[in-house]
Structures are given as structure tokens and as C-alpha cells.
Amino acid sequence: MRNQTTIKKNSNSRFIRIQLIAGLLLLIISGAKAQQAKDPAVIGRWDITIDKGGKSLPSWLEVQKSGTHTLIGRFTYAFGSARPISEVKPHDGKYSFSIPLQWEEGNRNMDFEFEVKGDELTGTMVYSDGVTYHFTGVRAPSMTRAKAPVWGKPVKLFNGKDTKGWHTDGNNQWVVESGILRSKHSGANLITDQKFSDFKLHIEFRYQKGSNSGVYLRGRYEVQVIDTKTGEPEPINNQFSAIYGFLPPNKMMAKNAGEWQSYDITLVGRLVTIVANGTMVICQQEIPGITGGAIDSKEGEPGPLLIQGDHGPIDYRNIIITPAK
């Protein structure tokens, strides 16, 4: 009788253990399926090119989860700063979102609809004037570096005499006077002939009251140069020494208009460090994507240094780059 009781107890214990294991496996499988359902392929960052009237306009999209039911995001158009997307709506295998106007002309929101296939997306944009344009996109590269860079020799990008080694994207208004590179009025942007991947950059600048410029790293990420003290009010993400629309400085180091100022910038992959007038204001922060005014959305490729000349009078000097080997 005792042996039968012991056998029955052991049998019940094994049965309970088997049920517990089966229940745990079911929970794991259910959790995995639920996780897959929560993470659609659209989530992530996308480098976009919009075909607008025969012109290729670089743009950028980020989609992420908000809780368990909603997709939200950010979008950078060909100009202006990154703007929030309150909801990215799925419907019949496609996605859509709408964003209000920023600097665009017109009187309606910009509406987007697209579908994702693997690491590519295709879609349409209804612009603020009601015209529909097509766009394509690819998943943005992570750009994580396996090793720390080994720096090469410093190179003077501006020789103090002329604009040799540079070109403009329009009619050239840039002049050189007494060793200073000057744009006396709004006009074309100035771009290096040479392209760079990772680098350290020293650059000095001087703006007039209320003026505005910018230094585009690889031609895609704008470090804002602006009269923060007396110019038009701007969000902190758009102010002096910010990565325009994305990364604000942790301390405002702007001097008065008319004074010479400096940036020392290190860019490795997406990680940027900015020293403004001798004080570190951004330390190895990740740049999420391209900023408005980028030359293209090919983030994984080397790119030039671009100096913005279409916003107001600006002076530059002592432009020295140290590229990684």
C-alpha cells in the first residue's frame, strides 16, 4: 500500500511538472509571437529620396512604438528641422502619416503613404500645394565603428587667398578679403571638392546681428551657426552649436554678434562631439539622421564640408580638418 501511494504521488508530481513546463513553453511562444506582432518592419530609421518635379530631394523618416498600440515618428523634409509625427497609421499593408506645414508654402498638411518591403520602402507624398510626388527609401545604416579612429595629418581647407578646393551650388557670392572667407549677402552654399568620412574639424566664424549660417558635416548634418542672442527666437534644438533640429547644446556658449567664435567638432560614424568657444556642449551624441538642407540622404557614404551661404552675411577663417586614416 505504501509503495502504491508513493508511486501515485510521484506520478502526480511528474504530471504537475510536465504541465508547468508546457505552460511555460506556451507562454514563451505566445510572448515571442506577441513581440513579433509589436515590431513591424517599418520600425527604424529610413533615408528617403523624393522625386519632386525631376529634382531629388533628400529626406528622413523615423518610426517607433509608443506603448503597445501606436506607432509614432519623426520626419525631416528637404528643408527645415525634424518635426514630430503624432501617429503612423497602418492600413491594408501600407502606412500613412500627416504633418503640418513648417516653412512650406500652401494651406494644407503634407500627407504621406508608403509600404515597406524588407529594407526598402516606396510611397507618395501629397505636398502642401496638393500635388502628388513619389519617393523611395532604404533603411539607414547604423554607422557604428568597430575601432577608434587613427587620425591623419591636419589639412587646411581654406588657404586664406582664394576658394581653391571649393565650389558652390549656385551663383558664387563668396569672396576672400584679408584672409577671411566672406559671404556678404545671401546666396549660394560653399562646398569642398573633397569628401570625408570620419574627421576632426576646427572652424572659426563671425556673424552680423541677426544673421544665420551653418556647417554641414559630410554635407548632411548641420551644426547651427546663428545669432542666438539677438536673432529671431528659435527652439533650443535649432540654436547656436546644436545639430539642427536634433541635438541641443548642454550649455549656451554663444558670443555677441560681430565677435569671432570657434567650433571644434569630432565626427565618428554618427557620434558627434562639439566644443563651442572652448567648452564642450555636445559629447559623443548620436545624430539620428540628416538635417534639412542636406546634399543627399546617402548617410553611409563620405561627404563634403558644406558652409551655408543662403541665410545671411557670414565670415569664416581657419578651417582645418583632420581626417581619419
Side-chain angles (χ1 to χ4, degrees):
M1 181 70 69
R2 187 179 301 163
N3 289 339
Q4 289 179 352
T5 302
T6 301
I7 291 170
K8 188 175 182 179
K9 287 182 177 179
N10 289 340
S11 178
N12 289 338
S13 296
R14 283 196 297 272
F15 178 73
I16 291 170
R17 284 199 298 271
I18 290 170
Q19 281 200 322
L20 286 172
I21 292 170
L24 285 172
L25 287 173
L26 185 61
L27 284 173
I28 291 170
I29 293 169
S30 299
K33 288 182 177 179
Q35 185 63 32
Q36 289 175 0
K38 291 177 185 177
D39 294 336
V42 70
I43 289 177
R45 295 169 177 168
W46 301 88
D47 288 335
I48 291 173
T49 301
I50 300 173
D51 182 3
K52 190 170 184 287
K55 294 183 178 180
S56 295
L57 302 183
S59 297
W60 175 85
L61 170 67
E62 179 182 57
V63 179
Q64 55 184 291
K65 292 187 296 184
S66 177
T68 58
H69 302 288
T70 306
L71 295 174
I72 61 172
R74 290 185 290 181
F75 183 79
T76 301
Y77 185 54
F79 52 81
S81 59
R83 60 192 91 175
I85 303 170
S86 61
E87 185 176 5
V88 179
K89 300 178 181 179
H91 180 70
D92 291 340
K94 295 185 178 182
Y95 298 90
S96 63
F97 64 89
S98 182
I99 54 176
L101 303 184
Q102 192 179 73
W103 301 104
E104 297 84 9
E105 296 181 352
N107 55 12
R108 67 181 311 279
N109 283 0
M110 297 164 63
D111 297 325
F112 295 79
E113 183 179 70
F114 63 96
E115 59 183 336
V116 175
K117 292 183 179 180
D119 291 333
E120 299 181 352
L121 59 77
T122 57
T124 58
M125 171 190 73
V126 181
Y127 193 56
S128 59
D129 58 4
V131 179
T132 299
Y133 301 97
H134 293 269
F135 65 85
T136 58
V138 296
R139 199 173 294 277
S142 67
M143 299 169 65
T144 301
R145 306 306 194 218
K147 297 180 180 179
V150 177
W151 300 111
K153 295 182 179 180
V155 177
K156 285 187 176 182
L157 293 178
F158 172 50
N159 61 21
K161 300 177 182 178
D162 52 39
T163 56
K164 183 179 180 180
W166 300 75
H167 62 276
T168 60
D169 57 6
N171 293 329
N172 183 21
Q173 82 285 358
W174 293 86
V175 297
V176 178
E177 296 178 347
S178 302
I180 298 171
L181 182 61
R182 309 193 70 187
S183 175
K184 296 182 179 181
H185 56 81
S186 298
N189 300 317
L190 191 63
I191 308 166
T192 59
D193 297 338
Q194 190 175 354
K195 295 182 178 181
F196 307 95
S197 182
D198 297 341
F199 57 83
K200 295 190 292 186
L201 173 69
H202 175 84
I203 189 166
E204 298 175 12
F205 53 89
R206 179 177 61 185
Y207 45 68
Q208 297 179 18
K209 184 177 179 180
S211 196
N212 184 331
S213 181
V215 178
Y216 281 75
L217 314 178
R218 298 195 197 110
R220 302 181 186 106
Y221 314 119
E222 181 186 4
V223 183
Q224 179 71 298
V225 174
I226 189 171
D227 180 15
T228 289
K229 290 194 171 184
T230 57
E232 291 292 329
E234 288 274 358
I236 186 63
N237 285 6
N238 299 354
Q239 286 288 4
F240 179 92
S241 70
I243 298 295
Y244 186 66
F246 283 127
L247 304 178
N250 59 30
K251 188 175 182 179
M252 183 50 62
M253 296 304 301
K255 296 181 180 180
N256 294 324
E259 296 186 58
W260 281 105
Q261 309 190 59
S262 68
Y263 287 155
D264 288 280
I265 303 165
T266 303
L267 181 64
V268 178
R270 291 185 179 279
L271 299 182
V272 66
T273 296
I274 299 177
V275 176
N277 293 324
T279 297
M280 185 181 295
V281 296
I282 294 177
C283 180
Q284 289 193 321
Q285 293 295 300
E286 182 185 56
I287 303 175
I290 67 170
T291 60
I295 59 169
D296 60 43
S297 56
K298 300 175 182 177
E299 290 192 86
E301 298 183 5
L305 189 73
L306 181 149
I307 296 178
Q308 194 174 54
D310 62 354
H311 275 29
I314 189 73
D315 297 340
Y316 285 93
R317 69 181 185 186
N318 294 337
I319 308 172
I320 302 170
I321 198 165
T322 304
K325 292 183 178 179

